[in-house]
Amino acid sequence: VDDSALIARVQAGEREAFHVLLQRHSPALLATLHSALANREDAREVLQETWLRAWQHLARVREPARLRAWLLSIALNLARARHRRLPALGLAAGGAGEPAAQADGGDALEDAEELARLRLHMAALPARQREVVDLRVNHGLSHAEIAALLGITEEASRANHYQALRRLKDGLQGASSTRSRARGASAERSEP
Amino acid sequence: MNAPGTGCERVRARMVEQVEGELAPLDEALDRGHLEACAECACERAELERVRHGIRGLARVAEAELGVELALLQREVLARLPAHAPRAPGLRMRTVLTAAAALLLLFLWSRGGLPSAPRAADLANLDPWLERLPAWPELLHGLGGLLRPF
């Protein structure tokens, strides 16, 4: 069932439909808020407030198919209000430990290592670039939507996204080549 | 393989858009052709894909770590929701305003029509105009009564 149908059902008084929306969008929203606020308790409170406001103003959703963008706008505005002293919302560095316990497959260790490195590189990105990458890659927002959410131009959103992906790619490539060289040297040493 | 640099610069400049499927069909076909022939650019593209895949992986890990919290949080949100279903606020406001306007018109009509605006000459003597305003005398009388004790 898509979001539009669920919204219509909520407005008809069906609370279970709202529960489905909660389950569908909360994980990604909470991950973004947690990352943005660097504090679990704050993220939880902002997410609760976001959903309560969403309930009150559900009739104002102009494009039900873009519900995620609408929810993000509420959540990020609330997060900004909570941290008004910060000039930009800046995603926090986030805990850099234990990144990929759930990685699966034969090369799980490699994936886990790579995710750990990626997390570090993400933490090193400028705040604006982290925000844009998260909204674009994890929430699938268009650059126009990101621009409206963050109060920047569409071009700035594109540029931040491009630069962030480049930096992350270069960071991972650099780490891979260093590791390959280390492996080669260790293989040479172990040869009789 | 293409000669070094032939089309590489163009393809790499818009590789993010290409990876995200945002290119126009003609550009997409051009770049796709280049990528099939140029191993270096294809490798570059694969790296970008890997980064995007990794970013999504990080988000999934974060969501999984927050799983238990989420279940509790959803329960709390549902418990805090108002009993009534959300209504369309625009419609509600329109209804109130329309009703208020209708009542005002009815009241004015019952008092003999809308008062005309005063002309400059009338300003010297406002009484006739005030008398035509519904409820003004009663209101002033009421205020006077209220202020009398002071």
Side-chain angles (χ1 to χ4, degrees), chain A residues 129-145:
Chain A
Q129 290 183 13
R130 273 200 304 277
E131 276 183 311
V132 172
V133 162
D134 177 52
L135 295 173
R136 179 81 183 138
V137 179
N138 293 327
H139 296 282
L141 301 196
S142 68
H143 285 294
E145 287 170 328

Side-chain angles (χ1 to χ4, degrees), chain A residues 3-14 17 58 64:
Chain A
D3 286 350
S4 313
L6 287 169
I7 290 172
R9 280 164 55 181
V10 173
Q11 285 178 297
E14 207 180 309
L58 210 56

Side-chain angles (χ1 to χ4, degrees), chain B residues 95-113:
Chain B
T95 311
V96 170
L97 287 176
T98 309
L103 280 173
L104 183 66
L105 284 173
L106 188 68
F107 178 71
L108 290 174
W109 176 75
S110 71
R111 302 291 301 239

Side-chain angles (χ1 to χ4, degrees), chain A residues 71-115:
Chain A
L71 289 170
L72 274 166
S73 72
I74 298 176
L76 291 180
N77 279 332
L78 287 171
R80 276 195 202 95
R82 187 166 283 239
H83 283 262
R84 190 71 76 187
R85 62 187 178 277
L86 297 177
L89 184 60
L91 297 174
E98 325 96 301
Q102 287 82 0
D104 48 13
D107 51 356
L109 181 62
E110 184 115 5
D111 283 352
E113 280 178 10
E114 188 159 296
L115 279 187

